[in-house]
Amino acid sequence: MKMTTGSGCYAISCGLCAASDFRFYTQVSCQLERDTAAYAVCRFLSKNKTLCRALVLDSYRMRTAEKRSGRRPVQRCLTVPAPLLDLPGSWAQICLRIAPEGVTVTGVSLLEAYPAARKKRGKTSCSDG
């Protein structure tokens, strides 16, 4: 999949895909396959204009960074209402890897209640529940 923001000669884009080791965790009963959940997350990210713009710009800044340290991939974790992704449950916690090549969805957790922030070295953890 591809994410694009802007239009005309000002359009910038980056790739969007699910990781080969995509993690799918659920607290709610559902009969979804990993591939279905991965597609739902990718479609949501590509269609949500605000998130799409932020993720594409992050990837673009990495591509154009002069210092090598500015090109290092970063991990992000988003929590969104699961119905926005057409997935069961109340909340979906999405883990992403943003790199100069594009955005990779590394996992999604479908939760019954809003997740409490887990601390790991001063950062919020994106690990499975």
Side-chain angles (χ1 to χ4, degrees), residues 15-119:
L16 173 65
C17 65
S20 58
D21 60 341
F22 177 79
R23 296 181 328 266
F24 179 53
Y25 171 78
T26 180
Q27 289 180 345
V28 297
S29 61
C30 69
Q31 301 299 322
L32 293 176
E33 296 290 326
R34 284 178 357 133
D35 296 344
T36 306
Y39 178 77
V41 173
C42 289
R43 182 167 167 76
F44 170 75
L45 293 174
S46 66
K47 299 296 180 185
N48 185 304
K49 290 183 180 184
T50 305
L51 285 175
C52 181
R53 178 175 170 77
L55 296 172
V56 169
L57 288 176
D58 284 348
S59 178
Y60 181 76
R61 285 185 191 115
M62 288 180 190
R63 271 181 267 164
T64 58
E66 291 182 18
K67 294 184 180 180
R68 182 172 240 179
S69 62
R71 295 177 185 241
R72 289 189 186 137
V74 294
Q75 302 286 334
R76 297 277 189 260
C77 199
L78 311 170
T79 303
V80 296
L84 291 178
L85 286 82
D86 293 327
L87 293 174
S90 299
W91 295 95
Q93 193 169 30
I94 304 167
C95 297
L96 307 169
R97 179 179 173 269
I98 305 168
E101 307 84 43
V103 178
T104 304
V105 180
T106 58
V108 65
S109 300
L110 300 178
L111 309 171
E112 293 176 355
Y114 192 81
R118 296 183 198 122
K119 296 291 181 178

